[in-house]
Amino acid sequence: MEKAVYTDTMLPFVTKASRYLGNEINAVKKDLSKVEIKCALVFPDAYEVGMSHLGLHILYHVLNSQEHIACERAFAPWVDMQALMKQHSLTLATLESHIPLRDCDIIGFSLEYELSYATVLTMLSLAHIPLPARDRDPSWPLVIAGGPSMFNPEPVADFFDAMVIGEGEEVILELCEAVRTWKKQRASKEELLHTLAEIRGVYVPSFFNVHYNRDGTLQGIIPLKKGYETIHKRFITDFSGVAFCTSPVVPYMQIVHDRAGIEIARGCSRGCRFCMAGMIYRPVREKNIATIRCIAEKMLGQTGYEELSLASLSSGDFSDISGLLQLLMQDHRHNKIAIALPSLRVETLTRDVIEQIKQVRKTGFTLAPEAGTQRLRNVINKGITEEEIVHTVTRIFTAGWNLVKLYFMIGLPTETPDDLDGIVALSKKIAAIDKRKQINISISTFVPKPHTPFQWVVQEQAASIRAKQHYLRKNLQGRNIRVKWHNHDLSILEGIFSRGDRRLGSVLLQAHKMGAGFEAWTEHFNPDLWNNAFAACRLNKNFYLRQRHLSEGLPWSHISCGIQNDFLQKEFARALEGTPTPDCRRASCSNCGVCSPDERVYKLNEQNTPNAGAAHAQAARTPGSASVRYRLYFAKLGPARFLSQLELSSCFARAMRRAQLPLKYSNGFHPLPKISFYDALPVGMESREQICDVELLNTLEGADIPGILNPHLPEGLIVCTAEQNVLKIKQLADKIVNYVIYFPKSIVCDYPDPTTIKGFINQFDARKEYIFEYVKKRKTSRVDLKQFVSHVALRKNNVLEIALNKTGKQTPAVAETIQHILNLSDKETKALRIIKLNT
């Protein structure tokens, strides 16, 4: 069996090593000998992207809450780690226990976007698992997938044994129970797949044959199992009662959404005609306010996050968003917890909501006009006016914000040059509200999505999109306007796989062989590679971008999200007429098919009536201005050596909040805890003594601060002692700093033998002068190492001791010094294990 990849000896050679540690706060590591099912949740993108996904944390909690299931995580290793794995024939493993993915019972991929498909194959290949599902016998893990992209599963159907259509909190346990029973019965894989097909929301691709007409269009999707013609999505009816994670894993590194997140509602009834999420997640369901407050209290207490995000497709549409904000501010303002609403419609951003948000920290606002003219906003059923947009931005600027982000799309159905002029005019009108304020504009390309009224329309070609981007770039200029664009070739690839069929599996396989992966990262996307893959498979990209006839069979026609095809066709016709459809929460039922024809079965939670929360609000606690300074002496050892200084700072701040220390915060619009560190270490170096100062609001008489804080710190960070009422250190005093250096065994490099090392040390000792040139902060300096190095010697067990004269002057790094004295290569130097003994 191959070795697992995530070992200490590998991490010095990769960027952002904390991605691979797997021992974060709230990570779950079970005794694998005592569980029946080993499950890996796999996200086919970088760690910082996958760890920002709320659904992953929920399923991780749901699975690990079962005693007989061990659920661990895996993310796509970054390109430098992938190169090392291939070079040394290592296999992809889980983060927590470092078990190879191939040794798991279930591997569950989360597919949030089509551009991750090639990375799925990369990860299976790194795990040494056969890519096509037909090549995996019962000795291999069951490979499944879920996520919104699975509402058209066909482009990746060849690679998965089963797929989950819809929401996973309940169905994932049913699926695990089926595998558990199957293992006990030692039945065939075919029998397992038949069992899975009986679970609502589970799609088994091998139970369908797909036939095509001579012109390439779909002739039919033929079920091979009786009664298995349509796969109906799973969805949660009791949204307040469903399991939710209150102790998500807290990353060391800064991730894309680095905050606590609560899904306050699921689904959207606004009916934007381009939005697949708004269709597939119907009906709208809300958590009640009491549940949200309870989750927030527990989650903030168990993570130490400084920001709370209230997530949904449209957070401002929550029935009592103002009352909820007021209560959450009452609960957490004294701890300087900021509240963010990441998804807001223009008309829901009221003055009261803005005033609530700004109480602690001004979190960002992104507004999505989508189109520049009212005509086109009516076509896409956006339901907002220019007057509302301008009025909302004015309100934001008046409240003290200096930045607003705007989001537009180009290539929308029926778009004309006037609509592009409308984007320019509206953007400049907003920029003119206050020229001291910044307007950041993001312009993406419209991609038709399945299960939407625009699922039949043509996707605009790359050349046309480039021309529109050039026009907007030329005309959207201003001192306070910044514009960014989505890569047009990426949008084309997304569109192909969004509405693609099962034949695209061959293209994916070919692209994988050519080196595809990380397509969502522009620097790793190679359009020529994909053009060659399509050519090799003799498939025409334009076939998948074309207009579909309303009577044409669609590759996802056997997948039901609950919305009737007749409704989508009527909405398409209304779009071409420019006729809006009102929100069914505020008007009559639009008969989309999700709810019962007699009544709207899935009502909003009746506890969430407008202003229900406001009546219970109380004044928040206001701490005094006095403070006391504590000095902490701590060790940074073992895996903690791979934390950067920024990660270390965040780690301590969150640990102190979890420990409920009364932190003193800075003033201003972005309050931060008053914590300072001295003599920052380079990533990879250990230390037995580092210094951290923290200001608290009051004295902790007789408190054992190390005893309070250490249970909340990760492995390798240990507070040894604490002093009270110390003065701030302006500069560390000159002193001798001692280090010990180990030469660890590594698959990456070998070290000289002890006799050779002693020879280099003897040469150094014999010299009267040893001039060394080094570069620090882009400046070249010279130093006499004989003046800088006080002592160097090789002791028993091949342990090197070195003592350096640390002064206020700039000096070379200890690793550079050792490298120069011992004549080590860059690889050998990176692999050294250096421990600082004193500050």
Side-chain angles (χ1 to χ4, degrees):
M1 184 179 294
E2 299 89 345
K3 297 177 183 177
V5 61
Y6 304 123
T7 61
D8 285 358
T9 59
M10 302 289 290
L11 298 186
F13 300 94
V14 298
T15 56
K16 300 181 180 179
S18 63
R19 286 170 170 150
Y20 308 105
L21 292 178
N23 66 340
E24 310 99 313
I25 296 297
N26 297 331
V28 179
K29 185 175 179 180
K30 293 186 177 183
D31 183 345
L32 299 182
S33 66
K34 297 181 179 179
V35 300
E36 298 176 63
I37 297 292
K38 296 189 292 290
C39 182
L41 285 182
V42 181
F43 201 96
D45 209 326
Y47 174 94
E48 55 267 40
V49 177
M51 283 297 291
S52 299
H53 179 53
L54 190 58
L56 182 139
H57 293 283
I58 294 173
L59 294 182
Y60 186 76
H61 164 75
V62 168
L63 290 168
N64 278 317
S65 65
Q66 306 297 308
E67 288 188 7
H68 66 283
I69 299 174
C71 177
E72 303 195 349
R73 298 162 294 146
F75 303 92
W78 196 241
V79 290
D80 52 1
M81 179 64 91
Q82 287 188 33
L84 284 173
M85 293 174 66
K86 293 173 182 177
Q87 180 182 352
H88 299 286
S89 300
L90 301 176
T91 193
L92 186 60
T94 62
L95 284 182
E96 286 81 355
S97 300
H98 299 173
I99 55 170
L101 289 191
R102 60 183 296 167
D103 290 347
C104 294
D105 297 301
I106 302 171
I107 299 174
F109 281 88
S110 178
L111 300 184
E112 301 300 307
Y113 34 84
E114 295 84 359
L115 295 177
S116 67
Y117 289 170
T119 310
V120 170
L121 302 194
T122 299
M123 296 185 75
L124 287 174
S125 179
L126 289 171
H128 301 114
I129 294 172
L131 304 186
R134 64 177 177 272
D135 293 344
R136 298 192 294 265
D137 62 30
S139 67
W140 294 100
L142 183 76
V143 182
I144 64 173
S149 294
M150 293 301 89
F151 279 87
N152 177 20
E154 293 307 290
V156 289
D158 289 346
F159 309 106
F160 293 101
D161 299 306
M163 288 124 145
V164 171
I165 311 299
E167 298 164 6
E169 292 99 325
E170 296 172 344
V171 67
I172 191 65
L173 293 179
E174 296 171 21
L175 196 149
C176 285
E177 187 58 32
V179 172
R180 182 189 190 187
T181 302
W182 169 74
K183 286 181 66 178
K184 290 177 180 178
Q185 295 174 346
R186 298 184 179 181
S188 68
K189 186 171 182 178
E190 185 76 7
E191 289 174 287
L192 171 61
L193 295 180
H194 275 280
T195 300
L196 296 179
E198 297 296 322
I199 301 173
R200 181 185 175 96
V202 175
Y203 172 49
V204 179
S206 60
F207 289 170
F208 288 84
N209 276 342
V210 183
H211 300 282
Y212 302 95
N213 297 310
R214 287 188 176 181
D215 63 359
T217 57
L218 184 70
Q219 184 183 88
I221 303 173
I222 312 302
L224 304 179
K225 177 179 170 64
K226 188 176 181 181
Y228 197 54
E229 293 79 15
T230 301
I231 314 302
H232 296 277
K233 75 173 182 183
R234 285 294 290 263
F235 68 98
I236 304 300
T237 55
D238 181 10
F239 191 57
S240 281
V242 71
F244 193 87
C245 179
T246 57
S247 54
V249 178
V250 182
Y252 297 122
M253 71 180 297
Q254 186 172 2
I255 60 175
V256 176
H257 302 303
D258 200 13
R259 58 200 181 194
I262 301 176
E263 190 182 17
I264 61 173
R266 190 174 292 177
C268 178
S269 57
R270 290 285 185 169
C272 296
R273 291 168 178 142
F274 58 84
C275 180
M276 186 173 81
M279 301 293 168
I280 64 174
Y281 287 118
R282 292 186 180 195
V284 178
R285 292 143 291 163
E286 294 182 351
K287 278 186 168 50
N288 64 57
I289 287 178
T291 299
I292 295 170
R293 290 180 74 187
C294 181
I295 292 172
E297 185 75 27
K298 292 179 180 178
M299 185 180 292
L300 291 170
Q302 295 182 45
T303 62
Y305 276 119
E306 59 282 342
E307 184 174 318
L308 177 65
S309 173
L310 305 182
S312 80
L313 291 176
S314 181
S315 303
D317 282 333
F318 187 81
S319 299
D320 186 16
I321 189 63
S322 180
L324 174 60
L325 285 172
Q326 193 172 351
L327 284 167
L328 290 174
M329 280 296 177
Q330 166 203 308
D331 294 340
H332 305 290
R333 185 170 58 231
H334 63 285
N335 284 328
K336 301 296 182 182
I337 302 298
I339 307 292
L341 298 176
S343 179
L344 281 170
R345 288 180 62 93
V346 167
E347 67 272 33
T348 64
L349 191 51
T350 64
R351 180 176 286 105
D352 186 46
V353 168
I354 292 174
E355 290 301 317
Q356 293 290 343
I357 291 174
K358 68 183 281 191
Q359 287 187 50
V360 172
R361 191 181 305 122
K362 291 190 176 78
T363 52
F365 284 128
T366 299
L367 305 179
E370 310 289 3
T373 63
Q374 192 60 49
R375 182 201 70 81
L376 192 52
R377 285 194 291 274
N378 287 344
V379 167
I380 64 177
N381 205 40
K382 187 60 184 177
I384 54 173
T385 65
E386 181 172 310
E387 182 182 3
E388 289 174 319
I389 297 167
V390 173
H391 181 67
T392 299
V393 175
T394 302
R395 185 183 292 152
I396 291 170
F397 286 158
T398 302
W401 269 260
N402 295 316
L403 168 68
V404 164
K405 299 177 184 178
L406 300 178
Y407 186 89
F408 292 98
M409 280 194 287
I410 56 176
L412 286 162
T414 78
E415 184 180 72
T416 68
D418 288 343
D419 298 307
L420 298 183
D421 291 337
I423 292 176
V424 174
L426 178 56
S427 299
K428 289 187 173 181
K429 188 173 185 178
I430 291 172
I433 294 172
D434 189 334
K435 294 184 178 180
R436 299 168 300 174
K437 311 289 188 178
Q438 182 67 41
I439 309 296
N440 286 357
I441 301 170
S442 177
I443 298 179
S444 67
T445 300
F446 165 69
V447 175
K449 293 290 184 178
H451 305 284
T452 70
F454 290 154
Q455 65 182 354
W456 294 281
V457 304
V458 64
Q459 181 171 342
E460 201 154 338
Q461 292 289 335
S464 175
I465 291 298
R466 279 196 298 269
K468 291 180 178 182
Q469 289 176 341
H470 177 75
Y471 175 83
L472 291 172
R473 186 181 297 113
K474 179 180 177 181
N475 289 277
L476 269 178
Q477 297 184 7
R479 189 178 67 180
N480 62 332
I481 296 176
R482 292 178 185 170
V483 185
K484 67 177 182 179
W485 321 87
H486 285 204
N487 184 296
H488 48 272
D489 288 318
L490 274 176
S491 298
I492 292 294
L493 188 64
E494 179 187 349
I496 290 169
F497 281 98
S498 173
R499 296 189 295 169
D501 54 41
R502 201 171 286 199
R503 291 172 294 189
L504 290 177
S506 63
V507 178
L508 269 174
L509 198 56
Q510 184 65 35
H512 165 70
K513 293 175 182 177
M514 294 176 171
F518 281 130
E519 269 61 38
W521 300 76
T522 307
E523 65 268 34
H524 296 293
F525 172 60
N526 183 352
D528 291 337
L529 180 154
W530 284 94
N531 290 336
N532 293 336
F534 274 95
C537 297
R538 298 183 179 180
L539 285 177
N540 185 350
K541 294 194 300 182
N542 290 331
F543 175 82
Y544 295 98
L545 303 174
R546 65 188 169 82
Q547 178 95 21
R548 269 71 159 175
H549 193 277
L550 292 179
S551 61
E552 180 181 328
L554 301 173
W556 53 92
S557 59
H558 56 312
I559 305 297
S560 173
C561 70
I563 291 180
Q564 301 299 317
N565 199 57
D566 287 348
F567 169 79
L568 296 178
Q569 290 193 8
K570 288 176 183 177
E571 280 296 288
F572 183 35
R574 290 172 70 86
L576 298 179
E577 296 167 358
T579 305
T581 298
D583 183 349
C584 66
R585 291 174 65 180
R586 295 161 177 81
S588 60
C589 177
S590 54
N591 296 314
C592 70
V594 169
C595 300
S596 162
D598 300 321
E599 59 177 339
R600 299 188 204 182
V601 175
Y602 308 105
K603 303 178 196 176
L604 304 179
N605 196 298
E606 294 178 355
Q607 296 182 42
N608 296 344
T609 54
N611 297 317
H616 302 288
Q618 301 173 0
R621 291 172 281 169
T622 305
S625 58
S627 65
V628 59
R629 184 187 302 274
Y630 281 86
R631 177 155 300 148
L632 310 180
Y633 294 89
F634 68 95
K636 184 185 181 189
L637 303 169
R641 71 185 186 272
F642 295 111
L643 302 183
S644 70
Q645 187 60 34
L646 180 64
E647 292 166 348
L648 178 71
S649 178
S650 174
C651 201
F652 263 88
R654 289 170 179 172
M656 290 174 182
R657 276 191 284 267
R658 288 192 295 272
Q660 299 183 20
L661 294 183
L663 293 169
K664 172 79 173 179
Y665 286 81
S666 61
N667 297 318
F669 292 124
H670 194 79
L672 297 171
K674 304 192 84 171
I675 304 172
S676 51
F677 293 84
Y678 301 96
D679 196 21
L681 297 174
V683 174
M685 185 184 293
E686 299 174 74
S687 175
R688 292 180 184 170
E689 185 182 83
Q690 290 296 105
I691 296 175
C692 166
D693 283 358
V694 57
E695 290 188 42
L696 303 181
L697 291 171
N698 51 268
T699 302
L700 302 180
E701 294 291 348
D704 174 16
I705 291 183
I708 293 172
L709 195 52
N710 282 334
H712 298 279
L713 288 170
E715 180 185 356
L717 289 180
I718 306 161
V719 176
C720 304
T721 59
E723 297 177 357
Q724 183 182 329
N725 292 324
V726 294
L727 297 175
K728 188 174 183 180
I729 298 175
K730 293 184 178 179
Q731 181 176 314
L732 291 174
D734 296 351
K735 61 166 63 177
I736 301 293
V737 181
N738 297 289
Y739 301 84
V740 293
I741 293 91
Y742 297 87
F743 301 90
K745 290 183 179 180
S746 171
I747 64 172
V748 179
C749 63
D750 294 314
Y751 286 105
D753 60 78
T755 302
T756 304
I757 293 174
K758 285 181 179 179
F760 284 125
I761 294 173
N762 291 336
Q763 290 178 26
F764 176 78
D765 288 339
R767 294 177 62 166
K768 293 182 179 180
E769 185 180 62
Y770 203 116
I771 301 301
F772 171 46
E773 279 194 359
Y774 65 97
V775 178
K776 199 167 189 177
K777 297 182 179 179
R778 300 183 180 178
K779 180 181 178 182
T780 301
S781 302
R782 288 165 58 89
V783 67
D784 182 1
L785 289 184
K786 295 293 290 186
Q787 302 298 317
F788 178 54
V789 178
S790 173
H791 165 75
V792 58
L794 190 67
R795 300 303 185 191
K796 292 180 180 180
N797 300 321
N798 207 28
V799 176
L800 185 73
E801 293 179 353
I802 189 168
L804 305 180
N805 293 310
K806 288 286 189 176
T807 67
K809 298 178 182 178
Q810 201 171 79
T811 53
V814 62
E816 285 181 298
T817 304
I818 297 166
Q819 179 179 19
H820 206 65
I821 294 173
L822 301 185
N823 194 29
L824 300 177
S825 67
D826 288 342
K827 279 188 176 181
E828 290 169 336
T829 305
K830 282 185 177 181
L832 290 172
R833 186 168 182 181
I834 303 174
I835 303 177
K836 179 183 169 189
L837 301 181
N838 64 297
T839 296

